[in-house]
């Protein structure tokens, strides 16, 4: 029609145009008698304004009081941050593989509820009954994830931390042979210890954990992903993902820590279409719908760990050691981690191995290789 | 354009002294004074945003936004700290708005029933109720909930005094498309409001505007 666009007119009404733009609009309107849209837009804007004006704070906030309160809150948060840090990437991988929660739900939780570094650690911990790894490069940033996290926070999971149903019994042993006898599986050690010293060996017994989630949370996830929330069965109010491990052994040296976890399995409640949740998860994390769908259909999610990798978080490499699919990840320089820390993850004969330390990919691969 | 003058005055009054980027860099090294300077500078605007979405929790939510800044500051490379803060403010505010619905209206089924009843009754009572200021605020927020986060964000950001350029930074679009989006959001608001709270029957039932 040769008329001006609504956006331009709306900007004109708000006085958001530069002088040249304003003149152009005015010239157009003077010569365009039928152009009533400006008036129409203005009416709509005017009809909405009083409603929103109602929401304006009645008084200025008391900034001095807010500052005082902020000081108290910061002290508190520092304290809880310190407590959290003791289970972060370093000790997390070494000491608490049972914290790992299992595939997608957890990967999502991990990625969403923690700083990027910690998220990475948790993702790695969340590798269960894994036969292969699917690395997903996500073209999204921390802010967008923050946004998604904000929306799911407090809705998706009940509580947040998994409930420990059977806590593992832990003991320190003197040799790899002893560890094998105690743990009930063949514990592997590298042919040599990189730093010469003997590792500290800890054995943990079987453990079981449950992570409870809400049906409403899943529905919200679907909604955020622009998928149909009705696909989550109506009768699903709460569900539980159960994780069991047959036992774990840690070999802690000064350069690297090797973790071996046996017979890890995840059980999902009936009626949950894991591929669909994966698809929704990938979509909220910024993947294009077609791509998310394709990928979600491509793997068997009961045996594949999904490792989402943000562009600025980590370096990832896939390789093979003695016929097993191996994943190497370097934590990026971000809050909660120290740069230069790498993790190798692999699965072989039902045992999940991680080798973690401040070492190059080549070094970690070399150590892992010498174990088999 | 007197309204525009009012809008922008509220915003540009804040910036003095060290730029945000410097303060942010200092904050990332653990500088508490830098944090408080940023707090003073941006608190009012952040408070204004969360208050519009969730007035009862505005103090807590505004603190929450700044705690996030404190514990997980954005990268120094993210030059636009104000946009980051406003984005987080919209997120936590809208989140609270959403969960308010969960608290007050219960399950999906109850919600559906309530909505059906509302439609059936042509909600003359609701319209009346909206006359009281506090109720009216609740109604406006119910409409914001209905039109979805993005549209609600546009309206709230604009009405808390951000310029088109600033809004564009917060929601991640080109400044040139803010006008279009805003017009669309206003239309959506108007329609939703008319649907949810139809003017009371009678010739004088027209809502003020």
């Amino acid at each position: 029609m040769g008329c001006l666009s609504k956006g331009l007119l709306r900007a004109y009404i708000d006085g958001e145009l530069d002088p040249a733009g304003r003149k152009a609009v005015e010239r157009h309107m003077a010569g365009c008698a039928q152009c009533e849209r400006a008036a129409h837009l203005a009416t709509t804007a005017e009809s909405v304004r009083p409603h929103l004006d109602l929401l304006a704070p009645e008084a200025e906030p008391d900034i001095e009081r807010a500052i005082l309160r902020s000081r108290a809150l910061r002290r508190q948060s520092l304290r809880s941050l310190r407590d959290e840090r003791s289970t972060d990437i370093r000790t997390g991988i070494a000491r608490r593989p049972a914290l790992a929660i299992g595939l997608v739900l957890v990967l999502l939780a991990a990625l969403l509820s923690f700083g990027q570094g910690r998220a990475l650690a948790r993702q790695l911990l969340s590798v269960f009954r894994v036969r292969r790894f699917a690395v997903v490069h996500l073209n999204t940033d921390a802010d967008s994830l923050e946004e998604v996290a904000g929306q799911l926070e407090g809705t998706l999971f009940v509580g947040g931390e998994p409930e420990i149903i059977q806590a593992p019994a832990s003991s320190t042993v003197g040799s790899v042979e002893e560890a094998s006898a105690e743990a009930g599986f063949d514990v592997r050690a590298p042919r040599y210890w990189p730093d010469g010293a003997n590792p500290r060996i800890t054995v943990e017994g079987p453990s079981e954990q449950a992570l409870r989630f809400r049906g409403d949370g899943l529905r919200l996830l679907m909604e955020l992903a622009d998928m149909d929330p009705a696909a989550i069965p109506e009768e699903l109010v709460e569900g539980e993902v159960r994780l069991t491990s047959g036992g774990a052994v840690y070999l802690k040296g000064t350069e690297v820590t090797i973790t071996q976890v046996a017979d890890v399995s995840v059980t999902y409640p009936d009626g949950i279409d894991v591929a669909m949740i994966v698809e929704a998860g990938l979509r909220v994390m910024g993947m294009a719908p077609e791509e998310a769908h394709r990928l979600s259909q491509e793997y068997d999610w009961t045996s594949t760990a999904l490792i989402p990798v943000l562009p600025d978080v980590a370096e990832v490499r896939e390789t093979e050691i003695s016929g097993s699919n191996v994943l190497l990840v370097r934590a990026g320089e971000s809050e909660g981690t120290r740069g230069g820390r790498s993790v190798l993850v692999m699965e072989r004969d039902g045992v999940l191995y991680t080798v973690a330390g401040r070492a190059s990919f080549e070094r970690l691969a070399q150590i892992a290789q010498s174990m088999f | 354009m007197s309204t525009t003058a009012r809008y922008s005055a509220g915003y540009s009054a804040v910036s003095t002294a060290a730029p945000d980027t410097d303060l942010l860099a200092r904050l990332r090294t653990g500088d508490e004074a830098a944090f408080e300077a940023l707090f003073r500078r941006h608190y009012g605007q952040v408070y204004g945003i969360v208050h519009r979405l969730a007035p009862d929790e505005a103090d807590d939510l505004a603190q929450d936004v700044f705690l996030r800044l404190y514990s997980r500051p954005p990268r120094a490379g993210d030059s636009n700290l104000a946009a980051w803060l406003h984005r987080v403010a919209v997120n936590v505010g809208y989140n609270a708005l959403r969960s308010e619905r969960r608290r007050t209206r219960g399950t999906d089924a109850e919600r559906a029933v309530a909505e059906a009843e509302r439609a059936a009754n042509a909600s003359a009572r609701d319209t009346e109720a909206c006359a009281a200021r506090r109720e009216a605020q609740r109604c406006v927020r119910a409409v914001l909930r209905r039109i979805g986060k993005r549209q609600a964000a546009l309206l709230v950001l604009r009405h808390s005094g951000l310029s088109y350029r600033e809004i564009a930074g917060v929601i991640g679009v080109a400044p040139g498309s803010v006008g279009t989006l805003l017009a669309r959001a206003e239309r959506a608001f108007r329609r939703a409001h008319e649907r949810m709270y139809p003017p009371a029957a009678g010739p004088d039932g027209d809502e003020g505007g």
Side-chain angles (χ1 to χ4, degrees):
Chain A
M1 285 195 297
C3 273
L4 298 169
S5 81
K6 278 188 186 163
L8 203 60
L9 287 170
R10 186 67 188 77
Y12 171 77
I13 292 165
D14 267 345
E16 281 275 352
L17 294 180
D18 57 20
R22 204 161 53 231
K23 276 221 187 73
V25 170
E26 276 159 8
R27 238 190 340 266
H28 170 88
M29 292 207 300
C32 178
Q34 297 101 313
C35 192
E36 286 172 356
R37 284 185 300 173
H40 182 68
L41 280 169
T43 326
T44 306
E46 285 308 317
S47 76
V48 170
R49 186 198 317 287
H51 291 297
L52 276 132
D53 280 348
L54 274 175
L55 300 184
E58 276 158 54
E60 291 282 307
D62 183 343
I63 186 109
E64 296 310 324
R65 231 186 61 204
I67 287 258
L68 288 179
R69 185 144 171 254
S70 163
R71 281 184 196 147
L73 288 170
R74 271 177 279 153
R75 272 195 300 277
Q76 237 174 53
S77 101
L78 275 183
R79 230 172 294 139
S80 61
L81 212 62
R82 223 173 294 136
D83 296 344
E84 251 178 65
R85 285 238 164 97
S86 61
T87 61
D88 79 356
I89 186 161
R90 254 178 320 152
T91 49
I93 284 178
R95 302 284 308 157
R96 301 179 62 183
L99 197 77
I101 307 163
L103 293 182
V104 181
L105 286 176
V106 171
L107 287 175
L108 257 180
L111 192 68
L112 299 178
S113 35
F114 295 90
Q116 296 168 357
R118 244 191 318 273
L120 190 64
R122 290 227 173 179
Q123 288 151 29
L124 290 174
L125 288 173
S126 309
V127 178
F128 276 100
R129 213 166 66 191
V130 173
R131 298 290 173 273
R132 57 181 306 183
F133 308 102
V135 178
V136 184
H137 292 270
L138 293 170
N139 192 18
T140 187
D141 56 40
D143 280 352
S144 324
L145 285 177
E146 181 93 358
E147 183 171 336
V148 174
Q151 284 168 307
L152 286 173
E153 214 169 29
T155 312
L156 189 50
F157 294 105
V158 181
E161 282 294 307
E163 180 195 347
I164 294 165
I165 292 164
Q166 183 189 355
S170 167
S171 59
T172 306
V173 298
S175 70
V176 172
E177 291 71 31
E178 244 181 278
S180 294
E182 187 99 350
F185 67 93
D186 203 5
V187 176
R188 305 269 181 169
R191 258 203 311 281
Y192 59 94
W193 269 94
D195 36 27
N198 279 331
R200 202 180 117 91
I201 306 177
T202 313
V203 180
E204 272 183 12
S207 68
E208 182 167 8
Q209 300 188 37
L211 183 72
R212 287 151 65 77
F213 60 86
R214 292 192 182 88
D216 265 351
L218 288 183
R219 280 175 211 110
L220 176 60
L221 173 69
M222 296 289 287
E223 217 176 286
L224 291 175
D226 237 346
M227 290 166 68
D228 184 11
I232 306 292
E234 208 174 300
E235 60 276 11
L236 181 70
V237 177
E238 267 185 26
E240 197 177 74
V241 179
R242 283 227 169 193
L243 322 154
T244 58
S245 137
V249 173
Y250 313 99
L251 305 149
K252 192 167 168 31
T254 50
E255 188 189 4
V256 295
T257 297
I258 298 173
T259 305
Q260 315 183 22
V261 192
D263 300 327
V264 188
S265 73
V266 188
T267 322
Y268 295 102
D270 291 340
I272 288 239
D273 180 351
V274 181
M276 185 180 70
I277 310 277
V278 170
E279 185 179 343
L282 291 172
R283 281 168 71 149
V284 300
M285 288 190 279
M287 188 177 279
E290 315 78 57
E291 177 73 2
H293 183 72
R294 192 187 60 71
L295 200 80
S296 71
Q297 299 300 321
E298 195 174 311
Y299 298 107
D300 167 12
W301 295 107
T302 55
S303 66
T304 303
L306 179 71
I307 313 233
V309 175
L310 301 175
D312 55 348
V313 165
E315 183 187 351
V316 178
R317 212 183 295 166
E318 286 172 276
T319 177
E320 206 172 272
I321 290 179
S322 316
S324 291
N325 164 222
V326 170
L327 189 71
L328 288 145
V329 180
R330 184 189 315 286
E333 186 77 48
S334 72
E335 192 254 333
T337 60
R338 290 172 192 92
R341 209 183 146 71
S342 306
V343 184
L344 175 151
V345 190
M346 66 182 285
E347 185 277 341
R348 206 180 146 93
D349 300 329
V351 180
L352 174 72
Y353 299 89
T354 69
V355 182
R358 197 184 302 279
S360 68
F361 281 174
E362 290 69 26
R363 184 73 169 147
L364 293 183
Q366 187 189 27
I367 293 168
Q369 186 113 50
S370 80
M371 290 163 60
F372 300 99
Chain B
M1 306 291 139
S2 59
T3 46
T4 308
R6 177 163 59 91
Y7 285 144
S8 42
Y11 190 71
S12 51
V14 280
S15 64
T16 50
D20 279 0
T21 43
D22 293 0
L23 291 171
L24 181 58
R26 278 168 53 194
L27 167 61
R28 290 181 67 88
T29 66
D31 185 335
E32 301 272 330
F35 173 82
E36 294 200 350
L38 288 169
F39 190 101
R40 279 177 194 284
R41 183 174 298 174
H42 295 288
Y43 184 82
Q45 189 75 54
V46 163
Y47 179 86
I49 293 171
V50 295
H51 179 93
R52 282 171 167 82
L53 292 164
D56 295 340
E57 302 166 66
D59 287 307
D60 287 352
L61 295 174
Q63 290 286 355
D64 193 28
V65 171
F66 283 94
L67 263 188
R68 287 190 196 202
L69 171 65
Y70 184 72
S71 56
R72 276 179 266 161
R75 280 151 204 281
D78 287 347
S79 54
N80 196 344
L81 179 67
W84 186 91
L85 284 168
H86 299 156
R87 187 155 50 234
V88 178
V90 167
N91 288 341
V92 303
Y94 199 79
N95 229 16
L97 184 70
R98 250 179 200 280
S99 49
E100 194 180 325
R101 174 187 60 180
R102 288 209 179 76
R103 278 199 303 274
T104 54
R105 292 232 208 126
T107 66
D108 279 346
E110 287 164 12
R111 209 178 302 151
V113 169
E115 230 136 82
E117 272 173 12
R118 165 163 297 135
N121 293 344
S123 70
R125 246 176 322 159
D126 271 347
T127 307
E128 247 169 63
C130 277
R133 182 180 165 84
R134 190 160 173 79
E135 268 305 295
Q137 290 171 338
R138 196 186 59 76
C139 295
V140 174
R141 282 188 291 110
V143 177
L144 289 180
R145 201 152 45 212
R146 171 69 64 87
I147 62 176
K149 181 173 175 186
R150 202 177 162 79
Q151 314 256 43
L154 273 154
L155 294 176
V156 163
L157 290 170
R158 179 60 186 160
H159 284 265
S160 52
L162 267 63
S163 70
Y164 279 24
R165 191 181 48 76
E166 287 162 337
I167 295 172
V170 177
I171 61 174
V173 298
S177 48
V178 171
T180 313
L181 295 172
L182 194 57
R184 199 177 296 159
E186 281 164 345
R187 206 170 53 235
F189 182 95
R190 194 180 188 179
R191 281 204 192 135
H193 194 278
E194 279 164 7
R195 233 185 0 253
M196 293 168 75
Y197 309 107
D204 55 353
D206 196 16
E207 51 185 312

